[in-house]
Amino acid sequence: MPRIPDHIAIVMDGNGRWAEKRKRPRNMGHQAGLKALKRTAEHCARSGVKILTVFAFSSENWQRPRQEVSRLMELFLKALDREVKNLQQNGIRLTFIGDRSQFPAEIRERMIAAESLTHSNGEMTLNVAANYGGRWDIMQAAKNLAREVGEGHLAAEDIDRDMFASHLSTADIPDPDLLIRTGGEMRISNFLLWQCAYSELYFSPVLWPDFGPDELDRAIKAYQERERRFGKTGEQVRDKKRA
Ligand code: IPE
Ligand code: IPE
Ligand code: MG
């Protein structure tokens, strides 16, 4: 059986262009994007994916027009109110990564409530990156490590890759096996910079609101055809598989 990626990460891009093509306000694109997320998360859970991390709002997205930002916050709040029950029914655990301190209190409270309500669900983890930036993540890990060294709890020489990774916001989850970006742009846009060091990349021209099971299956199939070498030779990798 070809292997299903344990962890898929998605840059959900193209909502605005989807709406513009229909001569509708960008917010309509974001609403349709929420539906695409529901379809995709359910399909991932059914397919045996263990973790789905989605980029919902980047640390740079605050620079958008004020009205778009406040519509996005409204949508986030609404989704936290209405969709969590659905996740609960599907056995999906909800977690968040990113700098929460910038969000209004009512959003922060609902994030905590949703995380604790779904905490023991075991079908899949839906990990939502909100006010997330890869550089922020690396910086906050470095700051915390520096603090521990400063307080004498840790020697600088003892900081290795695993210890660094355990200070990132993704401490408890493995790196993404597959990173998908929709919307046709071929860039990372400050998503999981450290964690994607060896992820397989898949760029889809499909705008996020049009994304769903079919395109996800195409991405998984492309992933299954890749040879992940992690710096080794193809021969080494194939020998290990045979052994
Ligand atoms: C992604 O879609 C959603 C967010 C960044 C919040 P966009 O809103 O970036 O859509 P495009 O790229 O303008 O089409
Ligand atoms: C990346 O999309 C962030 C999210 C999908 C949340 P952007 O639309 O913000 O990325 P750029 O600005 O085109 O690089
Ligand atoms: Mg975009």
Side-chain angles (χ1 to χ4, degrees):
M1 266 284 279
R3 185 146 171 72
I4 295 290
D6 284 329
H7 183 181
I8 297 181
I10 307 183
V11 180
M12 308 185 290
D13 195 25
N15 295 351
R17 278 163 284 164
W18 184 91
E20 278 157 26
K21 256 173 51 181
R22 287 165 177 73
K23 307 224 179 325
R24 305 305 304 263
R26 291 176 61 86
N27 189 44
M28 292 283 293
H30 297 314
Q31 283 176 22
L34 177 60
K35 290 196 184 122
L37 174 57
K38 278 159 63 178
R39 288 198 289 277
T40 304
E42 279 163 25
H43 189 64
C44 279
R46 273 197 304 270
S47 308
V49 173
K50 302 276 189 305
I51 304 154
L52 173 65
T53 298
V54 293
F55 207 3
F57 192 83
S58 79
S59 44
E60 287 72 37
N61 287 147
W62 297 107
Q63 300 173 70
R64 292 191 177 196
R66 226 181 40 212
Q67 194 195 330
E68 178 163 350
V69 172
S70 64
R71 285 278 129 76
L72 280 165
M73 292 302 136
E74 281 165 25
L75 187 63
F76 191 21
L77 198 59
K78 217 158 80 184
L80 282 167
D81 277 340
R82 295 191 187 163
E83 309 297 346
V84 175
K85 223 186 293 158
N86 209 10
L87 293 176
Q88 184 68 353
Q89 276 161 6
N90 286 304
I92 298 176
R93 177 180 179 190
L94 185 63
T95 56
F96 297 96
I97 52 170
D99 180 3
R100 300 178 190 210
S101 66
Q102 308 283 314
F103 288 122
E106 52 177 352
I107 290 190
R108 288 203 310 266
E109 281 155 19
R110 281 175 175 84
M111 286 164 86
I112 294 171
E115 283 179 324
S116 54
L117 180 72
T118 61
H119 183 75
S120 32
N121 291 345
E123 274 309 305
M124 185 183 81
T125 296
L126 173 61
N127 184 33
V128 176
N131 192 21
Y132 180 85
R135 288 175 173 175
W136 164 82
D137 202 358
I138 292 169
M139 242 154 41
Q140 65 81 27
K143 272 188 203 161
N144 285 326
L145 283 162
R147 195 170 300 127
E148 287 174 38
V149 171
E151 289 168 355
H153 303 308
L154 180 69
E157 298 73 45
D158 291 339
I159 300 173
D160 60 10
R161 193 180 61 186
D162 287 345
M163 186 180 290
F164 200 95
S166 75
H167 284 71
L168 293 167
S169 62
T170 48
D172 303 325
I173 56 179
D175 289 342
D177 299 295
L178 170 63
L179 172 72
I180 300 171
R181 182 175 184 138
T182 64
E185 239 65 80
M186 295 192 196
R187 54 178 173 257
I188 303 282
S189 299
N190 198 19
F191 198 24
L192 302 158
L193 296 179
W194 170 287
Q195 298 86 340
C196 283
Y198 268 105
S199 304
E200 295 297 326
L201 308 182
Y202 184 87
F203 295 101
S204 164
V206 172
L207 300 173
W208 176 250
D210 291 327
F211 195 86
D214 291 350
E215 186 62 6
L216 182 78
D217 286 345
R218 267 192 284 279
I220 292 177
K221 188 159 181 294
Y223 167 83
Q224 289 167 337
E225 286 162 4
R226 309 265 178 97
E227 182 174 69
R228 305 186 74 188
R229 290 192 282 273
F230 300 98
K232 296 181 179 171
T233 67
E235 200 177 3
Q236 284 175 302
V237 172
R238 289 187 291 272
D239 278 352
K240 188 162 177 256
K241 255 195 192 154
R242 249 179 261 126

